[in-house]
Every structure is written in structure tokens, then in C-alpha cells.
Amino acid sequence: MSAAETTLTPTSYISHHLSFLQKPVGTGDFWVLHVDTVAVSVLLGMLAFGFLWWVVRGATAGVPGRRQAFVELAIEFVDDQVKGIFHGDRHSFVAPAALTVFVWVLLMNAMDFLPVDWMGLFYEHVLGLHNFRSVPTADVNTTFALALAVWFLMIFYSIKVKGLGGWIHELFCAPFGSNPLLWPANFLLNIIEYLSKPLSHSLRLFGNMYAGEIIFLLLGMWAATGLAGTVFGAILGAGWAIFHILIVVLQAFIFMMLTVVYLSMAHESH
């Protein structure tokens, strides 16, 4: 908190750590850019894929080093998952896209392990930023943008594989049949399916990461209530941090798998 704020309450503490570094876009107040979300996302993307590019560029055909073995293990893991779901030319786009999604979302999720109060002090006293959030996936704008990117790719490949006429025909004639009386029901069902995919895809990741951030803040407040709170807060905080490792990895894996599933469905016909 800033030096001007002499009274710290639970509400002000949580509100402070959940406030974005915002910059209005244009003259109105409707469009707002979350500078912290964009900055951290871009930085993590550059670090992650710069590291992968560096390792792959120096890869050798002989006995791999530890860095090369680690990257090969990650690539083979993602490729094996894609093999089990997508049966087309997975190496042309789907497998690299799945690897990109998994690594990027995993790193953005992992920012939740950084102590929120320490990061707050760093941002405020070193960078001079009063509001700054470190976890991009705890921002619904990030998860929805990623889900929309997958959604547009799904529609693109649906039209590319089936043709525009085939895609429209599928919208009106599947799954109940091509009888004109069934066209409204088919179209309504398919529209609901199309709209629900980006919503469920994005809100699942956002909800888990946002809830994890809230729990860390609540445990931090408990640790500040006295000796007993410090002891129990530290114990529960350590336990939640260990459990949160599973959540961070699992949510990145689920987001990647749903991406592969949606792109695989785009290549299939009813």
C-alpha cells in the first residue's frame, strides 16, 4: 500500500492487490488497457519461446544435454497427447499450437507462486507502480482472448476442411437431419455450442487462477493477525502452495487439451 494510506483493512488490502494497472484507450472510459497483463504476458512469451528457440537451434543428433533433453521431453509429451486426439496432419499446425498454448499458459499460471506482498513492494518501490498484477490468467481478458483465438481457428479450419457450403450445411442439418422443419432446431443447437465453447474454455482457467489468488491473499491476511495466525497461516499457505502446483499445471494441460479437441472437431463432420 502507499505511504498515504495509514489504515489497512481487509477490503483495502484485497482491493489493492486485485487492482490492474489501467490505461484508458481513446477518449471515453469504456475501453481500458490492462498494461500489467499485456506486459507480463508478452515478457513471459518472449522468455519461454526465446529459450525454446535457443535450445532447438543448438540441438545435436548425439547425446542431448540437459536443456535439450528437457525440451525434447516437453515436445514429445505434447505430441503424444495430440496423437491420441487429432488424427490429421498434426505436425503442420496443431502440435506446435498445442505446445505454444501449454507452455505460455503454464508460465502465466506459475506467476501465482510469487509472494504477492513482495511483488507489490517491488512494483511500488522499484518500478514506481502502485497497482500491478503479476498473474495474467487471473485476468478474464487474457483467458477470453486465448479462447477466442482458438475459437476463430476452429471456425477457420471448419470452413477450410468442409468448405463454406459444407460448414453452413452442417450448421442447419446436424445433428437431427436435413429436413427443413429441423433446420431451426439444428441451427439453434449449433449456435449454442459455438457460443459455449469460448465461454467455458476461458472461464474455467480464469476461475481457478482467480480463486487461487484470492486464497493466497486470505491466508496472507490471516498470517498478519498474531502469533497463532502466523503459524497456521504459514502452514496452510505452504500446503496450499504445494496443492496449487497441481492446479497450475493441470489448468494449463486442460486448456491445451481443449484446444486440441476443438481443432480436431473442426476437421470432423457430423
Side-chain angles (χ1 to χ4, degrees):
M1 304 294 288
S2 64
E5 292 174 340
T6 58
T7 303
L8 181 65
T9 65
T11 301
S12 62
Y13 174 78
I14 293 178
S15 298
H16 169 70
H17 285 297
L18 295 183
S19 298
F20 292 100
L21 177 61
Q22 297 180 335
K23 179 178 177 59
V25 178
T27 57
D29 297 329
F30 182 77
W31 296 105
V32 177
L33 177 66
H34 290 176
V35 180
D36 42 9
T37 297
V38 175
V40 175
S41 300
V42 172
L43 178 62
L44 291 176
M46 293 173 61
L47 290 175
F49 300 111
F51 172 75
L52 291 177
W53 173 82
W54 173 57
V55 172
V56 171
R57 187 180 182 187
T60 60
V63 179
R66 286 179 294 179
R67 289 190 298 268
Q68 183 178 336
F70 173 76
V71 171
E72 288 180 354
L73 182 64
I75 293 175
E76 290 177 2
F77 167 75
V78 173
D79 193 57
D80 288 340
Q81 304 304 315
V82 176
K83 285 179 182 178
I85 299 174
F86 189 83
H87 304 294
D89 183 15
R90 64 181 184 279
H91 296 288
S92 62
F93 180 79
V94 177
L99 178 65
T100 300
V101 168
F102 178 70
V103 173
W104 200 15
V105 173
L106 179 63
L107 288 181
M108 289 191 288
N109 290 353
M111 292 296 290
D112 209 14
F113 292 127
L114 299 177
V116 64
D117 289 313
W118 293 4
M119 295 305 297
L121 291 174
F122 171 77
Y123 293 134
E124 184 164 0
H125 296 288
V126 177
L127 301 181
L129 302 173
H130 180 58
N131 296 325
F132 200 97
R133 293 182 67 177
S134 301
V135 188
T137 45
D139 183 358
V140 70
N141 296 285
T142 301
T143 60
F144 199 64
L146 290 171
L148 277 180
V150 174
W151 188 71
F152 283 122
L153 284 172
M154 179 185 67
I155 295 177
F156 169 78
Y157 277 104
S158 293
I159 297 175
K160 181 180 179 180
V161 172
K162 305 162 190 174
L164 181 59
W167 179 62
I168 295 176
H169 178 270
E170 189 174 79
L171 283 178
F172 285 92
C173 299
F176 300 125
S178 58
N179 190 309
L181 294 177
L182 298 175
W183 287 0
N186 288 329
F187 180 74
L188 179 61
L189 184 64
N190 283 308
I191 288 298
I192 292 174
E193 179 183 352
Y194 269 100
L195 294 178
S196 64
K197 284 178 179 177
L199 289 175
S200 61
H201 201 189
S202 60
L203 294 179
R204 179 184 290 104
L205 175 60
F206 163 72
N208 279 275
M209 298 313 302
Y210 185 80
E213 199 173 26
I214 292 293
I215 292 176
F216 275 125
L217 290 174
L218 293 176
L219 291 174
M221 287 194 301
W222 193 14
T225 58
L227 179 60
T230 300
V231 173
F232 286 106
I235 294 174
L236 292 177
W240 176 248
I242 295 172
F243 179 70
H244 202 56
I245 296 175
L246 175 63
I247 297 176
V248 163
V249 178
L250 183 61
Q251 289 304 314
F253 177 76
I254 291 174
F255 198 92
M256 178 199 73
M257 293 300 291
L258 286 175
T259 299
V260 177
V261 168
Y262 291 160
L263 293 180
S264 177
M265 292 173 63
H267 287 73
E268 299 172 355
S269 299
H270 287 286

